Short mmCIF file of all heavy atoms in Angstrom, two decimals:
data_model
loop_
_atom_site.label_atom_id
_atom_site.label_comp_id
_atom_site.label_asym_id
_atom_site.label_seq_id
_atom_site.Cartn_x
_atom_site.Cartn_y
_atom_site.Cartn_z
N TYR A 94 55.43 -83.22 -8.22
CA TYR A 94 54.22 -83.00 -7.72
C TYR A 94 54.33 -83.00 -6.24
O TYR A 94 55.27 -83.62 -5.65
CB TYR A 94 53.20 -84.15 -8.21
CG TYR A 94 53.55 -85.46 -7.98
CD1 TYR A 94 53.40 -86.09 -6.70
CD2 TYR A 94 54.19 -86.22 -9.05
CE1 TYR A 94 53.89 -87.38 -6.55
CE2 TYR A 94 54.54 -87.56 -8.76
CZ TYR A 94 54.36 -88.14 -7.64
OH TYR A 94 54.78 -89.40 -7.41
N LYS A 95 53.30 -82.49 -5.48
CA LYS A 95 53.29 -82.48 -4.14
C LYS A 95 51.94 -83.16 -3.68
O LYS A 95 50.93 -82.75 -4.34
CB LYS A 95 53.45 -81.14 -3.43
CG LYS A 95 53.35 -81.02 -1.87
CD LYS A 95 53.40 -79.74 -1.47
CE LYS A 95 53.34 -79.75 0.04
NZ LYS A 95 53.33 -78.45 0.67
N VAL A 96 51.98 -84.08 -2.78
CA VAL A 96 50.81 -84.73 -2.32
C VAL A 96 50.56 -84.46 -0.84
O VAL A 96 51.53 -84.74 -0.12
CB VAL A 96 50.79 -86.30 -2.61
CG1 VAL A 96 49.62 -87.06 -1.99
CG2 VAL A 96 50.77 -86.47 -4.16
N THR A 97 49.36 -84.06 -0.43
CA THR A 97 49.03 -84.10 0.98
C THR A 97 47.73 -84.71 1.15
O THR A 97 46.85 -84.71 0.18
CB THR A 97 48.89 -82.58 1.46
OG1 THR A 97 47.96 -81.89 0.82
CG2 THR A 97 50.26 -81.91 1.37
N LEU A 98 47.47 -85.39 2.26
CA LEU A 98 46.22 -86.05 2.60
C LEU A 98 45.86 -85.72 4.02
O LEU A 98 46.55 -85.89 4.95
CB LEU A 98 46.39 -87.58 2.52
CG LEU A 98 46.72 -88.11 1.16
CD1 LEU A 98 47.31 -89.52 1.26
CD2 LEU A 98 45.44 -88.02 0.26
N GLU A 99 44.65 -85.08 4.25
CA GLU A 99 44.16 -84.80 5.45
C GLU A 99 42.87 -85.48 5.75
O GLU A 99 41.96 -85.48 4.92
CB GLU A 99 43.82 -83.23 5.56
CG GLU A 99 45.05 -82.35 5.42
CD GLU A 99 44.79 -80.84 5.42
OE1 GLU A 99 43.75 -80.45 5.92
OE2 GLU A 99 45.58 -80.03 4.76
N ALA A 100 42.87 -86.20 6.87
CA ALA A 100 41.73 -87.01 7.24
C ALA A 100 41.86 -87.30 8.74
O ALA A 100 42.88 -87.08 9.34
CB ALA A 100 41.77 -88.31 6.51
N PRO A 101 40.79 -87.78 9.35
CA PRO A 101 40.84 -88.07 10.86
C PRO A 101 41.91 -89.09 11.15
O PRO A 101 42.16 -89.87 10.22
CB PRO A 101 39.43 -88.58 11.14
CG PRO A 101 38.62 -88.75 9.86
CD PRO A 101 39.45 -88.17 8.79
N ASP A 102 42.45 -89.22 12.30
CA ASP A 102 43.42 -90.14 12.66
C ASP A 102 42.70 -91.57 12.82
O ASP A 102 43.40 -92.53 12.67
CB ASP A 102 44.17 -89.77 13.95
CG ASP A 102 45.05 -88.58 13.73
OD1 ASP A 102 45.57 -88.46 12.56
OD2 ASP A 102 45.25 -87.82 14.63
N THR A 103 41.42 -91.54 13.30
CA THR A 103 40.64 -92.69 13.50
C THR A 103 39.21 -92.54 12.88
O THR A 103 38.82 -91.45 12.81
CB THR A 103 40.55 -93.09 14.99
OG1 THR A 103 39.82 -92.03 15.70
CG2 THR A 103 41.86 -93.36 15.62
N VAL A 104 38.66 -93.68 12.58
CA VAL A 104 37.33 -93.67 11.97
C VAL A 104 36.65 -95.00 12.31
O VAL A 104 37.32 -96.02 12.59
CB VAL A 104 37.43 -93.47 10.46
CG1 VAL A 104 38.04 -94.67 9.74
CG2 VAL A 104 36.02 -93.15 9.91
N ALA A 105 35.35 -94.93 12.56
CA ALA A 105 34.61 -96.15 12.96
C ALA A 105 34.46 -97.04 11.77
O ALA A 105 34.41 -96.71 10.56
CB ALA A 105 33.20 -95.61 13.42
N PRO A 106 34.40 -98.36 12.01
CA PRO A 106 34.27 -99.40 11.02
C PRO A 106 32.99 -99.11 10.10
O PRO A 106 31.93 -98.77 10.59
CB PRO A 106 34.02 -100.81 11.79
CG PRO A 106 34.69 -100.49 13.09
CD PRO A 106 34.48 -99.03 13.43
N GLY A 107 33.23 -99.15 8.79
CA GLY A 107 32.23 -98.96 7.82
C GLY A 107 31.73 -97.48 7.61
O GLY A 107 30.85 -97.22 6.80
N ALA A 108 32.27 -96.60 8.45
CA ALA A 108 31.82 -95.19 8.37
C ALA A 108 32.37 -94.45 7.20
O ALA A 108 33.47 -94.57 6.83
CB ALA A 108 32.12 -94.54 9.72
N PRO A 109 31.47 -93.61 6.63
CA PRO A 109 32.02 -92.75 5.55
C PRO A 109 32.84 -91.57 6.20
O PRO A 109 32.57 -91.22 7.33
CB PRO A 109 30.82 -92.14 4.82
CG PRO A 109 29.74 -92.35 5.84
CD PRO A 109 30.05 -93.47 6.74
N PHE A 110 33.91 -91.12 5.56
CA PHE A 110 34.74 -90.10 6.10
C PHE A 110 35.30 -89.23 4.86
O PHE A 110 35.46 -89.86 3.77
CB PHE A 110 35.81 -90.51 7.05
CG PHE A 110 36.84 -91.37 6.48
CD1 PHE A 110 38.05 -90.84 6.08
CD2 PHE A 110 36.67 -92.74 6.22
CE1 PHE A 110 39.11 -91.62 5.59
CE2 PHE A 110 37.62 -93.54 5.60
CZ PHE A 110 38.82 -93.04 5.30
N GLN A 111 35.73 -88.09 5.16
CA GLN A 111 36.23 -87.13 4.09
C GLN A 111 37.84 -87.12 4.19
O GLN A 111 38.31 -87.20 5.24
CB GLN A 111 35.65 -85.91 4.18
CG GLN A 111 34.18 -85.73 3.87
CD GLN A 111 33.66 -84.34 3.72
OE1 GLN A 111 34.15 -83.41 4.34
NE2 GLN A 111 32.72 -84.13 2.76
N VAL A 112 38.37 -87.01 2.97
CA VAL A 112 39.78 -86.86 2.81
C VAL A 112 40.02 -85.63 1.96
O VAL A 112 39.55 -85.52 0.88
CB VAL A 112 40.50 -88.06 2.12
CG1 VAL A 112 41.97 -87.79 2.06
CG2 VAL A 112 40.19 -89.31 2.96
N THR A 113 40.64 -84.66 2.57
CA THR A 113 41.10 -83.40 1.71
C THR A 113 42.46 -83.67 1.15
O THR A 113 43.37 -84.27 1.93
CB THR A 113 41.12 -82.21 2.66
OG1 THR A 113 39.83 -82.02 3.16
CG2 THR A 113 41.56 -80.93 1.79
N TRP A 114 42.70 -83.40 -0.11
CA TRP A 114 43.93 -83.84 -0.78
C TRP A 114 44.52 -82.68 -1.57
O TRP A 114 43.84 -81.75 -2.01
CB TRP A 114 43.63 -85.08 -1.61
CG TRP A 114 42.57 -84.82 -2.67
CD1 TRP A 114 41.29 -85.05 -2.57
CD2 TRP A 114 42.71 -84.19 -4.01
NE1 TRP A 114 40.61 -84.57 -3.64
CE2 TRP A 114 41.44 -84.13 -4.56
CE3 TRP A 114 43.86 -83.78 -4.69
CZ2 TRP A 114 41.28 -83.64 -5.82
CZ3 TRP A 114 43.69 -83.20 -5.89
CH2 TRP A 114 42.35 -83.12 -6.57
N THR A 115 45.77 -82.76 -1.79
CA THR A 115 46.44 -82.14 -2.91
C THR A 115 47.13 -83.09 -3.73
O THR A 115 47.67 -84.12 -3.13
CB THR A 115 47.49 -81.01 -2.40
OG1 THR A 115 48.43 -81.53 -1.65
CG2 THR A 115 46.64 -79.91 -1.66
N GLY A 116 47.27 -82.83 -4.95
CA GLY A 116 48.08 -83.85 -5.79
C GLY A 116 48.03 -83.37 -7.27
O GLY A 116 47.32 -82.44 -7.52
N PRO A 117 48.50 -84.15 -8.19
CA PRO A 117 48.37 -83.86 -9.50
C PRO A 117 47.01 -83.76 -10.13
O PRO A 117 46.85 -83.10 -11.18
CB PRO A 117 49.22 -84.83 -10.31
CG PRO A 117 49.78 -85.79 -9.25
CD PRO A 117 49.19 -85.36 -7.89
N ASN A 118 46.09 -84.50 -9.56
CA ASN A 118 44.82 -84.66 -10.11
C ASN A 118 44.71 -85.04 -11.68
O ASN A 118 44.02 -84.49 -12.56
CB ASN A 118 43.95 -83.27 -9.95
CG ASN A 118 42.50 -83.36 -10.07
OD1 ASN A 118 41.95 -84.51 -10.04
ND2 ASN A 118 41.84 -82.31 -10.45
N GLY A 119 45.57 -85.96 -11.99
CA GLY A 119 45.68 -86.39 -13.38
C GLY A 119 44.58 -87.41 -13.63
O GLY A 119 43.85 -87.76 -12.78
N PRO A 120 44.57 -87.89 -14.90
CA PRO A 120 43.64 -88.91 -15.33
C PRO A 120 43.74 -90.11 -14.38
O PRO A 120 44.86 -90.60 -14.15
CB PRO A 120 43.96 -89.22 -16.68
CG PRO A 120 44.90 -88.10 -17.26
CD PRO A 120 45.51 -87.57 -15.99
N SER A 121 42.59 -90.54 -13.93
CA SER A 121 42.52 -91.85 -13.09
C SER A 121 43.22 -91.80 -11.79
O SER A 121 43.44 -92.69 -11.07
CB SER A 121 43.19 -93.00 -13.93
OG SER A 121 42.58 -93.19 -15.20
N ASP A 122 43.50 -90.56 -11.25
CA ASP A 122 43.99 -90.40 -9.93
C ASP A 122 42.83 -90.65 -8.97
O ASP A 122 41.68 -90.17 -9.18
CB ASP A 122 44.57 -88.98 -9.69
CG ASP A 122 45.89 -88.87 -10.40
OD1 ASP A 122 46.34 -89.74 -11.06
OD2 ASP A 122 46.48 -87.78 -10.20
N TYR A 123 43.05 -91.19 -7.81
CA TYR A 123 42.07 -91.56 -6.81
C TYR A 123 42.68 -91.59 -5.38
O TYR A 123 43.88 -91.65 -5.21
CB TYR A 123 41.37 -92.87 -7.11
CG TYR A 123 42.26 -94.06 -7.14
CD1 TYR A 123 42.37 -94.84 -6.00
CD2 TYR A 123 42.89 -94.44 -8.31
CE1 TYR A 123 43.17 -95.97 -6.05
CE2 TYR A 123 43.74 -95.66 -8.35
CZ TYR A 123 43.86 -96.32 -7.17
OH TYR A 123 44.67 -97.48 -7.21
N VAL A 124 41.77 -91.41 -4.38
CA VAL A 124 42.07 -91.58 -2.94
C VAL A 124 41.38 -92.87 -2.50
O VAL A 124 40.18 -93.10 -2.81
CB VAL A 124 41.63 -90.38 -2.25
CG1 VAL A 124 41.80 -90.58 -0.69
CG2 VAL A 124 42.34 -89.17 -2.67
N THR A 125 42.11 -93.71 -1.84
CA THR A 125 41.69 -95.03 -1.33
C THR A 125 42.12 -95.27 0.09
O THR A 125 43.05 -94.61 0.71
CB THR A 125 42.11 -96.16 -2.29
OG1 THR A 125 41.37 -97.33 -1.88
CG2 THR A 125 43.56 -96.43 -2.20
N ILE A 126 41.54 -96.29 0.75
CA ILE A 126 41.97 -96.69 2.08
C ILE A 126 42.33 -98.18 1.95
O ILE A 126 41.56 -99.00 1.26
CB ILE A 126 40.91 -96.50 3.13
CG1 ILE A 126 41.53 -96.91 4.49
CG2 ILE A 126 39.62 -97.08 2.83
CD1 ILE A 126 40.61 -96.54 5.65
N VAL A 127 43.47 -98.63 2.42
CA VAL A 127 43.98 -100.09 2.23
C VAL A 127 44.56 -100.48 3.42
O VAL A 127 44.98 -99.64 4.34
CB VAL A 127 45.01 -100.08 1.04
CG1 VAL A 127 44.38 -99.64 -0.18
CG2 VAL A 127 46.28 -99.31 1.40
N PRO A 128 44.62 -101.86 3.74
CA PRO A 128 45.35 -102.29 4.89
C PRO A 128 46.79 -101.75 4.94
O PRO A 128 47.47 -101.77 3.85
CB PRO A 128 45.28 -103.78 4.78
CG PRO A 128 44.08 -104.03 3.89
CD PRO A 128 44.08 -102.82 2.97
N ALA A 129 47.36 -101.38 6.03
CA ALA A 129 48.76 -100.87 6.26
C ALA A 129 49.63 -101.86 5.55
O ALA A 129 49.56 -103.12 5.82
CB ALA A 129 49.08 -100.70 7.60
N GLY A 130 50.69 -101.47 4.83
CA GLY A 130 51.60 -102.32 4.21
C GLY A 130 51.17 -102.97 2.89
O GLY A 130 51.91 -103.80 2.45
N SER A 131 50.08 -102.60 2.36
CA SER A 131 49.64 -103.27 1.11
C SER A 131 50.54 -103.06 -0.10
O SER A 131 51.22 -101.91 -0.09
CB SER A 131 48.20 -102.69 0.80
OG SER A 131 47.21 -103.12 1.66
N LYS A 132 50.45 -103.88 -1.03
CA LYS A 132 51.23 -103.79 -2.24
C LYS A 132 50.69 -102.71 -3.10
O LYS A 132 49.41 -102.50 -3.15
CB LYS A 132 51.30 -105.10 -2.95
CG LYS A 132 52.03 -106.16 -2.24
CD LYS A 132 52.01 -107.46 -3.02
CE LYS A 132 52.71 -108.55 -2.28
NZ LYS A 132 52.74 -109.91 -3.09
N PRO A 133 51.55 -102.04 -3.99
CA PRO A 133 50.97 -101.10 -4.93
C PRO A 133 49.85 -101.65 -5.77
O PRO A 133 49.90 -102.94 -6.12
CB PRO A 133 52.22 -100.75 -5.77
CG PRO A 133 53.38 -100.98 -4.83
CD PRO A 133 52.96 -102.24 -4.10
N GLY A 134 48.87 -100.94 -6.11
CA GLY A 134 47.74 -101.45 -6.90
C GLY A 134 46.54 -101.92 -6.08
O GLY A 134 45.50 -102.04 -6.63
N THR A 135 46.77 -102.07 -4.79
CA THR A 135 45.70 -102.41 -3.86
C THR A 135 44.67 -101.19 -3.72
O THR A 135 45.17 -100.11 -3.68
CB THR A 135 46.28 -102.85 -2.48
OG1 THR A 135 47.19 -103.95 -2.67
CG2 THR A 135 45.17 -103.31 -1.56
#
Side-chain angles (χ1 to χ4, degrees):
Y94 55 80
K95 180 180 179 183
V96 172
T97 62
L98 296 163
E99 296 177 23
D102 291 330
T103 61
V104 65
F110 66 98
Q111 290 191 328
V112 179
T113 302
W114 58 270
T115 60
N118 196 22
S121 304
D122 288 5
Y123 59 95
V124 174
T125 187
I126 183 169
V127 299
S131 292
K132 293 181 181 180
T135 303

